[in-house]
Amino acid sequence: MVASALRRGAHAYVYLVSKASHISRGHQHQAWGSRPAAAEYAAQRAAGSVVELLGTSYPQDDYSNLTRKVLTRVGRNLHNQQHHPLWLIKERVKEHFYKQYVGRFGTPLFSVYDSLSPVVTTWQNFDSLLIPADHPSRKKGDNYYLNRTHMLRAHTSAHQWDLLHAGLDAFLVVGDVYRRDQIDSQHYPIFHQLEAVRLFSKHELFAGIKDGENLQLFEQSSRSAHKQETHTMEAVKFVEFDLKQTLTRLVAHLFGDGLEIRWVDCYFPFTHPSFEMEINFHGEWLEVLGCGVMEQQLVNSAGGQDRIGWAFGLGLERLAMILYNIPDIRLFWSEDERFLKQFRVSNMNQKVKFQPLSKYPPMINDISFWLPSENYAENDFYDLVRTIGGDLVEKVDLIDKFEHPKTHKTSHCYRITYRHMERTLSQREVRHIHQALQEAVVQRLGVEGRF
């Protein structure tokens, strides 16, 4: 559950069947861009084609838009690779919850699920979370669909309803999530989230409160900025207090005591009231997570009619980049020992400050084209750049828009920064990649090149 999750053709495609669960390490390394060419596309739909993913075959249709680049990442599970920086963050959060929140029999109150399949139904990803059918977060341009009914999860919240329906009332979910997005040092089509949910019965919420037996969880009233129509104000305030106290303790565990925190009101379809937590880190206010009181309609539909609860979600990459001073999100996929060895620590809570690798020189090329009259989506272009250039592409900036005064056609000019994380690129390599991109953008997106 992350805020950014909710703010935001005409050509026949050939779909290559890819077994992403059985990628060899050598093939994974090619994602750095050592073999960029149009043939490396993950093919999109062709009549009767399927994509095979994690041992299951999925028929393709007009919604299928997975790229080979993304398919090669499915199953890597960086958050479960020991001593990876994302693993360190996950384990530190787990350790904190295991120690701080203990059940009646001395066992951890929160159960942890960090190996759930990233393939979910569109119902799990959207409908179960009360996301309206016309909500922009469902757009094909923002998500990776296997077909109209199955997709790669856009958030770990996709598992909320199932776990609640199974009778769980306190759990953490950790996993890789997938979104089509811009290209820069902070964005990558695959990243990792950690989600937490806790439900309370009337007795649990009001235990130890004077006259708590006279307080109620539910009432029928009107919805306001501060509460849902089915919740009493007392119940909401106690849940909100517990949520904020839980998160304040968590960030103190991760960042140290004395951290300045502020709460910003926001909107999610599956919580109300909802908040973003910001921390003042080294003099800069940074948003680190989203949270809120769970929508009672969601809780009720999963079988928790007598309970009220909270949920929060955070991005592991974002926390790791802040905590360890990692400057580029692509580094999390690096197999460079100079990067990985810095996180092989004997104590997961010891401080680690990333020592930058030598920064190799960038190579910058521009690409300009006239847009087609319809069906152009910027995320399609970014996906194409990632497919052709892989992780050699550091960032892409739209530097110029121009509308022809007579034809009213629109031209875009993008500046592409190429930089290898582990060596210096040659002009020949970049020229080969850029020419392949120029060819592909015409063939795949129907633009008119201005090369």
Side-chain angles (χ1 to χ4, degrees):
M1 187 193 79
V2 171
S4 61
L6 299 159
R7 290 192 275 267
R8 317 185 9 112
H11 300 282
Y13 298 153
V14 179
Y15 209 103
L16 304 176
V17 176
S18 174
K19 300 193 177 197
S21 58
H22 299 94
I23 305 293
S24 69
R25 271 183 101 68
H27 196 172
Q28 288 168 0
H29 193 71
Q30 291 165 9
W32 282 103
S34 56
R35 286 177 54 195
E40 289 295 305
Y41 293 156
Q44 295 173 348
R45 60 184 172 85
S49 64
V50 298
V51 64
E52 193 168 316
L53 187 59
L54 302 177
T56 301
S57 296
Y58 298 91
Q60 304 303 283
D61 59 26
D62 61 328
Y63 251 60
S64 306
N65 65 351
L66 281 179
T67 65
R68 183 173 182 79
K69 163 89 171 168
V70 170
L71 285 169
T72 60
R73 299 303 202 215
V74 178
R76 287 283 298 275
N77 297 324
L78 299 183
H79 61 289
N80 288 335
Q81 294 183 16
Q82 192 169 15
H83 298 300
H84 191 280
L86 301 183
W87 177 85
L88 282 178
I89 298 286
K90 180 197 75 171
E91 290 299 313
R92 291 186 66 192
V93 174
K94 275 175 56 178
E95 177 193 54
H96 173 75
F97 272 85
Y98 281 170
K99 287 183 176 179
Q100 288 289 320
Y101 307 99
V102 179
R104 286 184 300 168
F105 304 107
T107 56
L109 180 66
F110 285 81
S111 50
V112 178
Y113 298 87
D114 58 10
S115 298
L116 298 175
S117 172
V119 179
V120 297
T121 65
T122 52
W123 185 89
Q124 288 173 301
N125 200 79
F126 299 119
D127 301 270
S128 73
L129 297 167
L130 312 179
I131 297 173
D134 60 350
H135 196 280
S137 67
R138 291 177 179 256
K139 286 191 306 182
K140 181 178 172 181
D142 291 337
N143 299 286
Y144 287 106
Y145 285 91
L146 283 85
N147 50 42
R148 281 186 172 268
T149 59
H150 288 82
M151 64 186 297
L152 295 177
R153 62 189 169 209
H155 43 204
T156 47
S157 305
H159 303 287
Q160 236 181 59
W161 190 93
D162 292 315
L163 294 173
L164 292 171
H165 191 63
L168 298 173
D169 56 14
F171 55 83
L172 305 178
V173 180
V174 193
D176 43 337
V177 300
Y178 300 78
R179 292 189 208 146
R180 304 178 77 197
D181 213 334
Q182 65 201 76
I183 301 176
D184 58 33
S185 63
Q186 304 292 315
H187 294 88
Y188 202 77
I190 309 100
F191 55 104
H192 298 74
Q193 287 185 346
L194 183 147
E195 169 117 357
V197 166
R198 185 173 184 186
L199 299 185
F200 300 88
S201 65
K202 174 184 171 181
H203 171 74
E204 290 168 332
L205 188 63
F206 298 132
I209 305 300
K210 185 178 180 181
D211 298 324
E213 65 276 6
N214 296 322
L215 300 176
Q216 302 298 322
L217 297 179
F218 305 111
E219 66 179 12
Q220 285 303 320
S221 59
S222 57
R223 178 173 289 240
S224 71
H226 306 291
K227 66 181 252 356
Q228 298 170 38
E229 59 272 24
T230 56
H231 293 159
T232 65
M233 184 60 75
E234 294 84 4
V236 170
K237 288 304 177 185
F238 277 111
V239 171
E240 184 181 322
F241 175 80
D242 186 87
L243 169 63
K244 291 181 176 179
Q245 186 180 59
T246 298
L247 291 173
T248 299
R249 288 173 177 163
L250 174 61
V251 295
H253 171 68
L254 294 174
F255 290 90
D257 293 325
L259 197 65
E260 191 178 359
I261 293 171
R262 68 185 182 192
W263 303 92
V264 179
D265 293 341
C266 64
Y267 166 78
F268 304 120
F270 33 87
T271 56
H272 182 75
S274 302
F275 314 96
E276 288 178 347
M277 176 195 239
E278 295 184 351
I279 61 171
N280 192 331
F281 192 65
H282 297 326
E284 183 180 0
W285 283 103
L286 303 171
E287 183 262 311
V288 291
L289 58 85
C291 62
V293 178
M294 295 182 70
E295 280 286 352
Q296 196 61 38
Q297 182 183 342
L298 189 165
V299 177
N300 290 351
S301 70
Q305 294 90 336
D306 60 343
R307 293 172 182 263
I308 184 174
W310 53 247
F312 75 80
L314 54 84
L316 295 183
E317 278 88 347
R318 178 147 181 81
L319 280 184
M321 292 176 84
I322 296 170
L323 272 170
Y324 304 139
N325 200 29
I326 296 173
D328 194 315
I329 197 169
R330 294 177 298 164
L331 280 165
F332 292 108
W333 296 91
S334 174
E335 295 178 355
D336 190 329
E337 271 296 304
R338 294 174 299 166
F339 173 74
L340 296 174
K341 70 181 181 182
Q342 297 187 42
F343 302 95
R344 294 193 186 112
V345 293
S346 57
N347 179 352
M348 71 177 71
N349 290 310
Q350 82 178 60
K351 289 189 176 181
V352 177
K353 184 172 182 181
F354 172 64
Q355 299 300 314
L357 313 180
S358 298
K359 196 157 190 181
Y360 296 96
M363 300 195 73
I364 297 171
N365 283 32
D366 293 349
I367 184 170
S368 301
F369 46 79
W370 296 106
L371 305 189
S373 57
E374 57 184 15
N375 295 329
Y376 176 79
E378 205 158 21
N379 278 346
D380 289 341
F381 174 67
Y382 294 143
D383 255 5
L384 195 57
V385 174
R386 290 189 191 278
T387 299
I388 301 296
D391 285 350
L392 299 184
V393 179
E394 181 175 82
K395 66 176 179 175
V396 177
D397 295 311
L398 176 61
I399 60 171
D400 185 57
K401 280 185 180 181
F402 168 72
E403 182 175 323
H404 195 284
K406 293 183 178 179
T407 65
H408 299 293
K409 292 173 68 174
T410 299
S411 170
H412 279 190
C413 181
Y414 295 91
R415 177 153 293 164
I416 302 176
T417 303
Y418 298 93
R419 192 198 310 258
H420 203 295
M421 303 290 287
E422 299 170 8
R423 62 178 175 81
T424 299
L425 286 170
S426 70
Q427 289 186 347
R428 184 170 176 237
E429 282 179 288
V430 173
R431 185 168 62 251
H432 176 65
I433 296 166
H434 204 70
Q435 286 175 349
L437 178 61
Q438 289 173 335
E439 294 172 12
V441 76
V442 172
Q443 296 170 6
R444 295 289 297 252
L445 302 183
V447 305
E448 181 184 340
R450 301 181 67 192
F451 318 137

